[in-house]
Amino acid sequence: MAASAARATSTVHARSPHHPPSTVLAGARVVLPTGTVDNGRVVVEGTKIVTEASAAEADVHDLSGHWVVPGFVDIHNHGGGGASFTSGTAEDVLHGVMTHRRHGTTTLVASTVTGDMDFLAHRAGFLSELVEQGDLAGIHFEGPFISPCRKGAHSEELLRDPDPAEVRKLIDAARGTAKMVTLATELPGGIDSVRLLAEHGVIAAIGHTDATYEQTREAIDAGATVATHLFNAMPALGHRAPGPIAALLEDERITVELINDGTHLHPAALELAFRSAGAARVAFITDAMDAAGFGDGRYQLGPLEVEVKDGVARLVEGHSIAGSTLTLDTAFKRAVTVDRIPVEDVVTAISANPAKLLGAYDRVGSLDPGKDADLVVLDADFALKGVMRRGEWVVRPEVG
């Protein structure tokens, strides 16, 4: 555990002449990469976390009895607030982003679902503009290069083998903003596509796959580094045919995505993943669809109709689970209070690890001085009370 106090503060982009130049968050339990500091201090100036305030005057928040943790980083998210990243307008996408931002996700990658190649390429160009202006952290293509045996909530007639030329088409359409492509790497062209992605600095994620243990190891050796929502949309762990799960858990090169909503994973499966991979190789994701932060009802996920009932999203035809309605503040609270995972390990999985995968850990993912002032305030019961992004309060804590 850290022995010295952290310092951080937050500032809005445009300040009145009478507004203090610094924000000081005092008295909280502050989670740093080195451990938790009791009665810590976080100081923010402008958009950055700093070591000390530059002026005597500051906007001080007494957060005694609270936690301050880094802003959450979601690398797998299809929408929220009733808006879809796959089909919505720019206004829709920004509404979905803000919905998740209010739940603590200060860095978000927009995920698409299987669609026609020309549509996906066009969508990539559209979303890339929102990445370039700083609203999104990148694009994740989930499909169409996945197995029909493990298609989940993807349209089977639009699935295709991962031809490297077509994979390259999507990467090029994203204009440098593609961060991840989920592939069933056992399909024809799968291994060559993994190599192509690795060469272009794009994460090759193994998912929606029917691969064997041996085929999964081959894909990892070719450059795959992420398991898309481990356990879901892949063969179950077997004692004679261990399948992809064993290969993904055992290999130090793989980060495993986990959807901690109480629906996608039994708590014992979550515990198995943490024990086998260790906190340093887990990334909590939402895999959220439009209904996240919005409510029950009928929705579209790509070309497929989804019904959300009691917060669980399933296809109208076939009843497969169709993403989630999860937000990361709920995943955080569940991990600590239900799964009994140490707070520091949850922070690693929900902030640091995904930031590292995105190549953004120099800017986000921890509360180190010099990084963006992205942070979340939680109360003693781990309920969200405040969210700051780049020095501006998205949710202002009504405490102290």
Side-chain angles (χ1 to χ4, degrees), residues 6-217:
R7 310 238 190 259
T9 297
S10 141
T11 296
V12 195
H13 290 157
R15 288 196 176 272
S16 73
H18 305 293
H19 200 294
S22 302
T23 300
V24 177
L25 311 182
R29 302 188 74 186
V30 179
V31 181
L32 301 174
T34 49
T36 298
V37 177
D38 292 327
N39 195 26
R41 245 167 63 101
V42 181
V43 183
V44 181
E45 288 198 353
T47 63
K48 300 293 183 181
I49 296 170
V50 297
T51 304
E52 294 286 351
S54 61
E57 186 184 14
D59 183 11
V60 179
H61 295 259
D62 180 3
L63 296 179
S64 300
H66 290 69
W67 295 80
V68 176
V69 300
F72 308 146
V73 180
D74 194 354
I75 60 172
H76 188 156
N77 187 316
H78 299 278
S84 168
F85 299 151
T86 296
S87 58
T89 64
E91 184 178 0
D92 292 334
V93 173
L94 293 176
H95 175 72
V97 169
M98 184 54 69
T99 296
H100 285 282
R101 209 172 275 176
R102 286 193 289 266
H103 288 275
T105 298
T106 51
T107 301
L108 186 147
V109 172
S111 301
T112 62
V113 296
T114 294
D116 174 84
M117 284 294 295
D118 288 338
F119 172 79
L120 288 175
H122 179 268
R123 193 68 186 171
F126 166 78
L127 290 171
S128 69
E129 296 179 9
L130 298 178
V131 178
E132 289 161 0
Q133 67 188 38
D135 295 298
L136 295 171
I139 302 169
H140 163 217
F141 297 101
E142 188 182 21
F145 311 115
I146 60 177
S147 171
C149 302
R150 306 286 173 178
K151 64 182 183 297
H154 291 257
S155 177
E156 184 167 355
E157 58 266 27
L158 294 173
L159 300 182
R160 54 213 299 130
D161 291 339
D163 179 346
E166 294 198 321
V167 174
R168 177 65 185 269
K169 177 181 178 179
L170 293 186
I171 296 173
D172 289 346
R175 303 200 302 259
T177 67
K179 292 295 184 181
M180 184 162 66
V181 179
T182 292
L183 307 161
T185 54
E186 76 278 9
L187 296 176
I191 298 300
D192 287 340
S193 292
V194 169
R195 294 193 182 104
L196 172 75
L197 291 168
E199 289 169 3
H200 285 81
V202 178
I203 296 166
I206 300 171
H208 288 275
T209 177
D210 205 39
T212 63
Y213 173 86
E214 292 77 15
Q215 288 171 326
T216 305
R217 289 203 54 81

Side-chain angles (χ1 to χ4, degrees), residues 267-359:
L270 186 86
E271 182 182 11
L272 173 64
F274 263 91
R275 284 192 176 186
S276 299
R281 293 204 292 118
V282 171
F284 278 134
I285 61 163
T286 60
D287 194 16
M289 46 83 71
D290 312 21
F294 199 66
D296 290 356
R298 290 280 181 113
Y299 297 86
Q300 287 294 128
L301 187 59
L304 303 179
E305 191 172 15
V306 175
E307 182 171 16
V308 178
K309 186 177 181 181
D310 298 327
V312 177
R314 293 186 179 275
L315 291 181
V316 172
E317 290 189 17
H319 302 291
S320 292
I321 292 177
S324 86
T325 61
L326 185 64
T327 53
L328 282 181
D329 58 330
T330 298
F332 192 111
K333 182 174 181 176
R334 180 180 176 85
V336 177
T337 62
V338 176
D339 304 307
R340 302 298 177 185
I341 298 169
V343 174
E344 295 82 2
D345 288 350
V346 178
V347 168
T348 297
I350 212 165
S351 299
N353 292 344
K356 290 173 183 177
L357 284 171
L358 295 176

